[in-house]
Amino acid sequence: MTQHGAHIVWDWNGTLLHDVDAVMAATNASFAEIGLPPITLERYRELYCVPVPRFYERLLGRLPTGAEWQRMDEAFHRHYWAHAADAGLAEGARALLAEWQEAGRTQSLCSLAPHDRLLPLLRTHGIERHFIRVDGRTGPSDTGKAEQMARHLAALAGVRPERVVVIGDAVDDAVAAAHAGARAVLYTGGSHSRASLEAAGVPVVDSLAAAVREAGRLVARTAG
């Protein structure tokens, strides 16, 4: 197997979509509603984790109650979607998607963004055609991606997990990849600090172009 045998599963928020400004604006607007002080991007990247209630546990020193979590989640998403319309694709993302497809390789997208919102966004950005499958979140927003990733890979006909590389911006992407029998490359342009990403024990890169190159090397190395 060569690099041409690699299949990439992309994450959306913080990876293909450069939405960190929208995330920070929504985070601090929702914090103001629930009586929390604003947070800097550096601090956010130090503390952020999935499942998201654990992020609030790190902030509050305790897990939020069910009622608190519902209020936090609703406030964040209300503000996020108001800001997300201004978010663009990450640097180089459009060209990388096109080049990977034009080279005869396959790619898909697995995201914790709501599925009914994700598909229109892909069409708006004109990139839906590059993916052989797209799966957004259809259940609760307080869980990680592991089970969703396993279902996603199981639905990819003819794609073996050992030739799959997940590219994402969160430690949870690496956890989900391992759960599904795939590999992962993590990108520093999103929700986590480099130090927290490196703790996942997978390659960490500073650009999507580097992530794609590393994905090819990972699969080629295994084949060799």
Side-chain angles (χ1 to χ4, degrees), residues 67-209:
E68 286 173 330
W69 162 246
Q70 288 184 358
R71 183 182 176 195
M72 293 168 174
D73 191 48
E74 186 280 328
F76 171 80
H77 283 98
R78 174 164 31 85
H79 290 291
Y80 173 80
W81 291 111
H83 290 280
D86 295 326
L89 297 179
E91 182 179 357
R94 190 182 307 277
L96 288 166
L97 292 172
E99 289 165 6
W100 191 264
Q101 183 182 33
E102 289 164 5
R105 304 161 188 160
T106 56
Q107 56 198 328
S108 57
L109 193 152
C110 183
S111 171
L112 291 176
H115 189 75
D116 59 348
R117 286 187 177 268
L118 181 59
L119 290 178
L121 279 171
L122 298 182
R123 292 169 189 144
T124 296
H125 288 285
I127 59 173
E128 183 186 18
R129 67 186 184 280
H130 298 307
F131 306 109
I132 63 171
R133 184 175 181 88
V134 173
D135 285 314
R137 175 177 56 80
T138 57
S141 59
D142 60 347
T143 60
K145 194 186 283 185
E147 295 304 324
Q148 181 177 327
M149 183 65 70
R151 292 191 298 270
H152 181 79
L153 295 196
L156 297 175
V159 178
R160 300 191 305 276
E162 61 267 23
R163 58 172 281 227
V164 172
V165 180
V166 175
I167 297 178
D169 71 312
V171 172
D172 187 57
D173 291 304
V175 172
H179 177 77
R183 293 169 180 78
V185 177
L186 299 181
Y187 162 61
T188 60
S191 59
H192 281 35
S193 67
R194 171 174 274 276
S196 63
L197 293 178
E198 288 174 342
V202 302
V204 177
V205 298
D206 297 319
S207 71
L208 294 187

Side-chain angles (χ1 to χ4, degrees), residues 20-34 36-39 44 48 55-56 59 75-76 79-80 83:
V20 66
D21 293 333
V23 167
M24 291 309 302
T27 296
N28 284 324
S30 62
F31 278 12
E33 287 191 20
I34 60 180
L36 291 176
I39 189 172
Y44 179 90
Y48 184 76
F55 168 58
Y56 286 100
L59 282 168
F76 171 80
H79 290 291
Y80 173 80
H83 290 280

Side-chain angles (χ1 to χ4, degrees), residues 33-55:
E33 287 191 20
I34 60 180
L36 291 176
I39 189 172
T40 64
L41 175 59
E42 182 181 20
R43 183 65 171 155
Y44 179 90
R45 284 174 163 164
E46 288 175 357
L47 296 178
Y48 184 76
C49 59
V50 177
V52 180
R54 289 182 52 210
F55 168 58

